[in-house]
């Protein structure tokens, strides 16, 4: 098991955990690095682990993770043609939008637009992956009320983006129809048609 980042609350530290018989197979000095054995980082890691144990962060992570996943899947059920997947473990959750844009304007990336709307409403969301995906990574101390607030902000932002994209798709469709009319074979008329109203 390889771990890093949060294990020392932002201090430069990473680690490897394994069975002793496997680690004994590694030559001495083979698992080194720039920050190996940093005493301050190790102290930060010990303090971090103490907090995780004393404040019950694992239990909170599991509970809030279930709450978050359940909420996002409920939103997915409302937008089945837009959200293709909700996946994750604990409080690291990915929500993927349909890549084909089947429910909105074709080829449109929904994630960055939803992320921007969420930012306007006071919530930071990461876009990630080569697919159209948002990543939810709240702190392990997140409360039930904060998860409810996050879900409400996300759903509101998504609804706004979907509505704007549907309007854009309808405008594009109407424009295509008008262009088709303007480029249709000329009909015999007694006067020239006024096409300025289509511009």
């Amino acid at each position: 098991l390889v771990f890093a980042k949060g294990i020392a609350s932002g201090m430069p530290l990473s680690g490897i955990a394994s069975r002793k018989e496997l680690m004994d197979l590694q030559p001495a000095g083979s698992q080194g690095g720039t920050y190996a054995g940093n005493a301050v980082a190790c102290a930060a890691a010990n303090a971090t682990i103490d907090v995780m144990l004393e404040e019950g962060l694992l239990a909170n992570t599991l509970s809030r993770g279930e709450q978050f996943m359940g909420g996002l899947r409920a939103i997915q059920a409302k937008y089945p043609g837009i959200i293709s997947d909700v996946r994750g473990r604990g409080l690291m959750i990915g929500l993927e939008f349909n890549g084909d844009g089947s429910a909105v304007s074709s080829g449109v990336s929904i994630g960055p637009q939803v992320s921007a709307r969420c930012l306007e409403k006071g919530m930071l969301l990461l876009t990630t992956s080569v697919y159209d995906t948002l990543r939810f990574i709240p702190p392990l101390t997140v409360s039930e009320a904060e998860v409810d607030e996050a879900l409400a902000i996300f759903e509101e932002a998504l609804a706004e983006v979907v509505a704007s994209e549907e309007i854009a798709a309808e405008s594009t469709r109407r424009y295509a129809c008008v262009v088709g009319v303007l480029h249709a074979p000329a009909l015999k008329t007694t006067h020239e048609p006024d096409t300025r109203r289509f511009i």
Side-chain angles (χ1 to χ4, degrees):
L1 173 67
V2 178
F3 53 91
K5 292 189 176 181
I7 192 63
S9 297
M11 293 294 290
L13 188 71
S14 62
I16 302 172
S18 179
R19 298 194 308 274
K20 184 177 185 303
E21 59 267 27
L22 293 177
M23 295 303 288
D24 286 345
L25 297 175
Q26 304 299 317
S30 63
Q31 302 297 327
T34 303
Y35 301 110
N38 184 303
V40 176
C42 289
N46 284 332
T48 299
I49 293 170
D50 287 343
V51 169
M52 293 178 70
L53 294 174
E54 293 167 7
E55 298 186 10
L57 295 190
L58 177 57
N60 188 65
T61 297
L62 295 174
S63 297
R64 298 290 70 78
E66 290 178 3
Q67 178 189 358
F68 230 131
M69 291 284 282
L72 290 175
R73 284 180 173 151
I75 295 172
Q76 179 186 21
K78 298 178 185 178
Y79 296 91
I82 294 175
I83 300 174
S84 62
D85 191 25
V86 177
R87 56 184 178 271
R89 188 178 296 271
L91 285 172
M92 187 170 183
I93 300 170
L95 183 144
E96 184 177 337
F97 297 99
N98 280 337
D100 60 2
S102 57
V104 293
S105 306
S106 181
V108 170
S109 292
I110 299 294
Q113 298 181 68
V114 174
S115 177
R117 293 290 179 108
C118 286
L119 180 60
E120 292 172 1
K121 301 173 189 301
M123 183 171 74
L124 292 172
L125 268 185
L126 292 173
T127 55
T128 186
S129 176
V130 295
Y131 303 105
D132 195 6
T133 304
L134 291 177
R135 185 191 303 174
F136 296 80
I137 315 180
L140 305 185
T141 55
V142 67
S143 68
E144 182 178 357
E146 288 169 335
V147 171
D148 284 338
E149 182 181 5
L151 289 168
I153 290 174
F154 171 74
E155 184 168 11
E156 182 180 354
L158 176 61
E160 291 175 1
V161 170
V162 169
S164 67
E165 287 301 325
E166 288 175 345
I167 291 171
E170 179 63 14
S171 298
T172 301
R173 186 189 66 77
R174 291 183 179 181
Y175 175 77
C177 290
V178 169
V179 170
V181 169
L182 291 178
H183 288 81
L187 299 176
K188 292 183 179 180
T189 60
T190 57
H191 63 278
E192 290 295 322
D194 181 5
T195 60
R196 288 174 295 176
R197 64 182 181 277
F198 296 119
I199 297 175

